[in-house]
Amino acid sequence: MTSKLLNVALHVDENMAFGVSRDENIPTPGDGELLIETRFSGANPADIKHATHLGIYPTRLGYDFFGKVLEAPPGSSFKVGDNVAGYTPTGVGRPAKYGTHQSYLVCPENMAYSVPENLPPDHAACLTVVAMTAADALYNLFKFPLPGDSTSSSSGSTPRPLLIWGASTSVGICAVQFAKASGVFPILVSASPGRHALLSELGATHCFDYKSPSVIEDIQIVLQNYQFDGVPYAFDAVGSLSGLGSAQMVASCSSKDAILVSVVVQKDPRFVMPLATTNEDVTLKIANIPHPIVIPARKEDHQRAWSALQWAVEHYGSRFRLVSVEVFQGRAKDALEELKVLADKGRGFGKLALMHPLV
Ligand SMILES: NC(=O)c1ccc[n+]([C@@H]2O[C@H](COP(=O)([O-])OP(=O)(O)OC[C@H]3O[C@@H](n4cnc5c(N)ncnc54)[C@H](OP(=O)(O)O)[C@@H]3O)[C@@H](O)[C@H]2O)c1
């Protein structure tokens, strides 16, 4: 690699200060890794929160990407010039090379895939983290059949209600579409009323307003019509702490032996959390806990979620989609502000992709 290339990157330093770097350091791939020229990187709340809440700093920011392969290892299934997307590893001690909000990034080959024509580059850059999180919930924690499994087409005949709370989060949008593709029925969702038509089109069978004072009662009435006392599969796709908290709203609608899933860690021990990256152990440092915590890898689960992601990629635009992807093009320091807003207050509906190189 020539040293004349400029790498513009968003980073967090050893004092947990966020900033922009501009240098000629093009990352070096290790064994089994690709060097990629970033075209788009996808924004997630985790880009900032993993530093501030989970001790993952110093590092360069970002997990999701779309780009072009510049170097592939010998024997790789990828070649120079391929368009690829995917995501990169997380955890305390994360090397700077894995940050995706930079002009050049490194990705392990087994966390990347070739992008077909039906998947637009900016959408590809935003897909992997949220689709893998939804897939871990549906296929590993709830153990629904994968789309295309022989059981998934026939499974609509026996009701097994699924509740997705906050179905218009990007994780929720993916979960609704996976659930439909797997023949899950009925699919109950909560969202703002303005999103109900969209969610019905994507596969929801019953939509509720999460702000309605009668929302829990309304959900229970529908469940009783299916002869269920409470929902057996309950997914909090928001992780909101406001009011009672979205997880407790979900728990209030669930049956005694329900599987309860929330996208963020819950104090209530009945909840389990899906993870976007289950292929390797993940080490985290949490405030007030003196020692690092290791979340062990679930390699078979990773493969199952990855197959669901590949189904979504293959059927993108027909049976699966991210509904809204906004593209940011401009100054690196403004892009960093966008990430901070996303982590602090959220940006509302849809995904944000950063176009590279940032200025
Ligand atoms: N565990 C993991 O590996 C993992 C991975 C990715 C994300 N996450 C977490 O998953 C959550 C969702 O992330 P995301 O990026 O998909 O979200 P997002 O796309 O930013 O979500 C935006 C949407 O959230 C909905 N919302 C906000 N407050 C709500 C509430 N109290 N009840 C119901 N819906 C509410 C709004 O829906 P309406 O428009 O309908 O009002 C809004 O459109 C975050 O907490 C994130 O940190 C976890």
Side-chain angles (χ1 to χ4, degrees):
M1 244 325 78
T2 157
S3 62
K4 298 237 173 72
L5 298 171
L6 182 67
N7 192 1
V8 182
L10 308 185
H11 70 249
V12 53
D13 69 14
E14 54 286 355
N15 301 313
M16 217 203 280
F18 294 92
V20 174
S21 42
R22 289 166 210 282
D23 54 40
E24 293 176 2
N25 295 332
I26 306 305
T28 308
D31 290 347
E33 292 186 334
L34 305 168
L35 175 64
I36 292 162
E37 183 180 359
T38 318
R39 293 287 165 83
F40 292 98
S41 56
N44 287 289
D47 299 341
I48 298 280
K49 284 188 179 172
H50 278 190
T52 53
H53 291 48
L54 302 178
I56 303 175
Y57 66 94
T59 190
R60 289 189 171 180
L61 308 181
Y63 292 102
D64 270 324
F65 71 90
F66 167 89
K68 203 172 261 301
V69 174
L70 293 182
E71 282 178 37
S76 173
S77 55
F78 298 101
K79 56 183 192 321
V80 172
D82 280 355
N83 286 328
V84 291
Y87 62 173
T88 56
T90 187
V92 171
R94 179 181 195 241
K97 65 182 177 180
Y98 292 145
T100 60
H101 300 313
Q102 60 181 331
S103 321
Y104 300 91
L105 69 95
V106 163
C107 180
E109 283 185 289
N110 61 2
M111 296 178 80
Y113 59 87
S114 290
V115 176
E117 290 287 313
N118 58 308
L119 174 54
D122 50 338
H123 287 227
C126 294
L127 182 63
T128 308
V129 167
V130 288
M132 286 294 283
T133 307
D136 191 36
L138 266 70
Y139 301 116
N140 297 321
L141 303 180
F142 294 140
K143 301 197 185 305
F144 291 136
L146 284 167
D149 271 9
S150 54
T151 43
S152 58
S153 51
S154 59
S155 52
S157 48
T158 317
R160 48 177 166 176
L162 165 68
L163 171 63
I164 302 171
W165 196 275
S168 23
T169 62
S170 303
V171 173
I173 292 277
C174 293
V176 170
Q177 295 174 91
F178 278 141
K180 182 183 182 191
S182 293
V184 176
F185 177 86
I187 302 169
L188 288 70
V189 304
S190 82
S192 292
R195 313 245 178 257
H196 290 186
L198 166 73
L199 290 164
S200 302
E201 187 201 314
L202 296 178
T205 53
H206 305 271
C207 300
F208 305 88
D209 176 4
Y210 59 84
K211 292 195 186 115
S212 161
S214 63
V215 59
I216 292 173
E217 204 187 328
D218 297 343
I219 290 172
Q220 277 161 348
I221 290 168
V222 169
L223 289 168
Q224 279 156 17
N225 292 341
Y226 289 99
Q227 318 294 327
F228 278 84
D229 249 354
V231 75
Y233 301 99
F235 185 17
D236 163 27
V238 191
S240 157
L241 299 175
S242 68
L244 254 187
S246 49
Q248 283 314 307
M249 298 296 274
V250 160
S252 309
C253 303
S254 65
S255 62
K256 271 205 312 283
D257 52 356
I259 303 175
L260 299 179
V261 173
S262 174
V263 277
V264 298
V265 176
Q266 297 293 334
K267 284 195 185 121
D268 181 340
R270 294 174 298 170
F271 277 89
V272 285
M273 188 183 76
L275 205 57
T277 49
T278 52
N279 54 324
E280 298 294 344
D281 291 355
V282 175
T283 305
L284 309 171
K285 272 193 210 149
I286 295 172
N288 303 326
I289 300 184
H291 50 83
I293 288 177
V294 178
I295 303 178
R298 291 183 276 124
K299 288 183 186 284
E300 279 183 26
D301 285 1
H302 173 75
Q303 281 316 322
R304 209 169 144 72
W306 192 257
S307 342
L309 172 69
Q310 294 314 306
W311 176 89
V313 167
E314 195 185 324
H315 294 88
Y316 202 86
S318 54
R319 297 178 67 189
F320 197 98
R321 64 191 161 111
L322 295 173
V323 175
S324 160
V325 176
E326 189 186 326
V327 172
F328 171 93
Q329 183 178 12
R331 295 189 305 183
K333 66 175 194 173
D334 296 333
L336 184 56
E337 290 312 308
E338 293 283 348
L339 296 186
K340 288 181 182 169
V341 169
L342 177 63
D344 283 353
K345 301 194 274 281
R347 296 181 75 257
F349 185 67
K351 294 291 298 179
L352 176 70
L354 309 183
M355 187 187 274
H356 293 265
L358 293 163
V359 183

